[in-house]
Amino acid sequence: MTSVDVDTLMAELAHLREENAALTRERDELRRERDELRKAILGIPAAVGLMIGPDHVFKIVNDAWRGLNPSLEPIGKPLIDAFPAPLGARIAAMLDPVFATGEPLIAANVPFTWPGAEETSFITFHYSALRQDSGEIFGIVFHGLDVTAQMRAQREVQSLNSRLRTFLALAENAPDSIVVTERGQITYANPAFFRMYGYGAEVVGTPLLDLVEAEGRALLDAHLQEGASPGAARAIVTCRRHDGSTFPGEVSTFRIRDEGGQIDAEGAIVRDLTEQRRAEQERQRLQEDLIAAQQRAIRELSTPLIPLAERLVVMPLVGTIDSVRSEQILETLLQGITAHKAAVAILDTTGVRSMDEQVASSLLRTAGAARLLGTEVILTGISPEVARALVEIGADLSGVATRGTLEAGVAYALGRRRRARGRR
């Protein structure tokens, strides 16, 4: 071999070594990029993985995917076997068209209840087909994002919106005034407030206490300053309308707190007591009229005056006679004597249970008053107790006829009337 051939071989060898070194560097660079890509995929906070073939065999899954359910280890398993039935079969049926056609698939807010889990999770998946250089599909890459927190937040927002709609519906249609204040100034007022107070939208920004008369401001202000007091505080105050007129109002104030428990605003419910007060006064008047009517009826029933014959009346007395009732007896007897022009009046005490000295004196006073009207008084049915009371007071019964029974008293009165007619 000539020196020329040796030089040529050495040059080719050096060239091959350079090409080999370049290929090695390229291989190392590809490996580095692959490892970095793999590391990046495995480190993505969203669930990422790769499935190969029509059976969707798991080739790669990252830590975020495993975090969805650490009990599942899918590597090397077909999708239908990697998940518990019927979940695996359901997902496989969704991915078959992606592998067959290459059309991507987005499955939003898919509910998952993992084995042993108490709550349902929600995941949004993106599935895309992987193709070889020839265009043939050989796998599916997927990206899954756990949206459970977002779903719960969305539901909380929906619930809050529903509660707000309910509150607004109640407030807008409530017959009582409802206001919300911040730092004492009105920020919201319902339609009933505008009707009750006569204000328009200009009331927003007005201090609530400006709509209360002076005597009630201190009371309401004290309630508003009691920030730590639970529940609502109520007070009856005089409220002032836009035109200067006033009305009695029951004001209930309460605190509105944020999620941290801090006072965010104040609420107040105002009820116009005008009609209630008017109704209470009417009920009081009716009650007083009823009581008066009952008392009149009781007086009439307890001291009845019965006309027995022409110019002859009898008053049967029953029960216990006290000072009040003795006055009723006197009033009823004198009115009856005048109305019936009675010449004889019989006071029958058969039913009287007890009588003290004061009442006995009043009874004799009644007889004396009747005589002044020209009427003869006959006492009948005097019991031993009544007789004892009359004796103890030294009663003067001259001019008063007495008989043991009512029948004897009636007979005596009728006989007197016949004798009087005979003399005429």
Side-chain angles (χ1 to χ4, degrees):
M1 181 179 295
T2 64
S3 59
V4 176
D5 295 333
V6 173
D7 293 338
T8 300
L9 289 174
M10 292 299 293
E12 290 179 357
L13 180 60
H15 179 69
L16 290 174
R17 286 175 177 172
E18 290 177 0
E19 288 183 348
N20 185 55
L23 290 173
T24 299
R25 288 193 300 271
E26 184 178 353
R27 180 203 63 191
D28 293 341
E29 180 65 21
L30 290 174
R31 286 179 176 176
R32 185 184 63 79
E33 291 178 354
R34 181 200 63 190
D35 292 342
E36 290 178 352
L37 179 60
R38 182 183 183 90
K39 183 178 180 180
I41 291 175
L42 296 178
I44 291 176
V48 176
L50 174 65
M51 294 176 288
I52 302 299
D55 293 331
H56 317 302
V57 178
F58 282 92
K59 187 72 173 178
I60 300 174
V61 293
N62 65 348
D63 293 339
W65 193 97
R66 286 190 170 89
L68 295 176
N69 192 327
S71 64
L72 297 179
E73 178 47 60
I75 298 302
K77 297 178 182 179
L79 188 149
I80 197 172
D81 296 330
F83 291 94
L87 183 59
R90 189 169 75 242
I91 299 175
M94 294 170 53
L95 298 185
D96 286 343
V98 178
F99 190 85
T101 65
E103 291 292 330
L105 171 67
I106 298 177
N109 306 329
V110 179
F112 283 94
T113 303
W114 303 104
E118 297 181 356
E119 297 183 352
T120 299
S121 298
F122 296 87
I123 303 175
T124 295
F125 280 102
H126 297 254
Y127 300 96
S128 299
L130 288 177
R131 299 177 183 271
Q132 297 178 344
D133 292 341
S134 63
E136 182 181 358
I137 297 173
F138 70 93
I140 295 176
V141 63
F142 61 86
H143 168 277
L145 182 63
D146 188 346
V147 294
T148 304
Q150 292 89 322
M151 289 292 292
R152 290 175 181 169
Q154 182 179 354
R155 290 182 177 179
E156 290 179 1
V157 171
Q158 292 173 346
S159 176
L160 179 59
N161 288 335
S162 177
R163 292 168 59 188
L164 287 175
R165 286 193 298 270
T166 301
F167 166 77
L168 285 175
L170 290 173
E172 294 293 302
N173 295 280
D176 295 333
S177 293
I178 298 177
V179 293
V180 177
T181 64
E182 294 182 10
R183 294 180 294 278
Q185 295 185 333
I186 297 174
T187 57
Y188 166 80
N190 69 340
F193 178 91
F194 297 125
R195 293 192 299 269
M196 188 178 296
Y197 282 85
Y199 280 93
E202 74 277 3
V203 77
V204 174
T206 300
L208 178 61
L209 293 180
D210 285 358
L211 308 183
V212 178
E213 290 293 282
E215 80 279 358
R217 292 181 187 175
L219 184 60
L220 280 181
D221 187 57
H223 289 323
L224 293 174
Q225 297 304 321
E226 295 173 358
S229 299
R234 292 179 175 85
I236 305 298
V237 300
T238 301
C239 302
R240 186 173 62 254
R241 299 185 182 92
H242 186 47
D243 60 5
S245 62
T246 60
F247 64 91
E250 180 186 52
V251 182
S252 300
T253 60
F254 53 91
R255 297 293 183 174
I256 302 174
R257 301 179 183 272
D258 59 21
E259 295 179 355
Q262 298 299 313
I263 297 174
D264 190 40
E266 298 86 21
I269 301 174
V270 183
R271 174 166 294 178
D272 188 344
L273 300 180
T274 302
E275 291 301 323
Q276 180 179 329
R277 293 280 179 86
R278 184 180 294 114
E280 290 175 352
Q281 292 173 355
E282 181 65 18
R283 284 196 299 269
Q284 181 66 25
R285 186 186 64 79
L286 292 175
Q287 185 177 12
E288 292 174 354
D289 291 345
L290 178 60
I291 291 174
Q294 289 174 339
Q295 290 176 344
R296 288 194 300 270
I298 290 173
R299 286 196 300 268
E300 293 173 359
L301 292 174
S302 62
T303 55
L305 186 72
I306 304 171
L308 290 182
E310 184 181 0
R311 303 188 70 189
L312 173 61
V313 296
V314 61
M315 177 180 286
L317 304 178
V318 180
T320 301
I321 299 178
D322 55 17
S323 58
V324 174
R325 192 174 174 205
S326 66
E327 292 298 324
Q328 295 176 355
I329 293 172
L330 175 60
E331 178 184 351
T332 302
L333 180 62
L334 297 181
Q335 290 178 353
I337 289 173
T338 302
H340 296 283
K341 300 178 180 177
V344 180
I346 300 175
L347 294 180
D348 180 47
T349 62
T350 303
V352 176
R353 292 192 296 270
S354 63
M355 183 185 303
D356 58 20
E357 295 181 8
Q358 180 181 359
V359 174
S361 298
S362 177
L363 193 61
L364 293 178
R365 186 165 55 89
T366 300
R371 289 199 304 272
L372 292 176
L373 295 177
T375 301
E376 181 181 2
V377 177
I378 303 173
L379 289 178
T380 64
I382 298 177
S383 66
E385 292 79 7
V386 174
R388 185 180 302 111
L390 293 174
V391 171
E392 288 177 352
I393 67 173
D396 181 10
L397 297 179
S398 60
V400 178
T402 60
R403 291 294 183 270
T405 64
L406 175 62
E407 291 82 0
V410 172
Y412 171 78
L414 293 177
R416 293 231 357 162
R417 191 174 66 168
R418 285 194 298 270
R419 288 192 295 273
R421 288 177 177 175
R423 287 195 296 269
R424 290 197 297 266

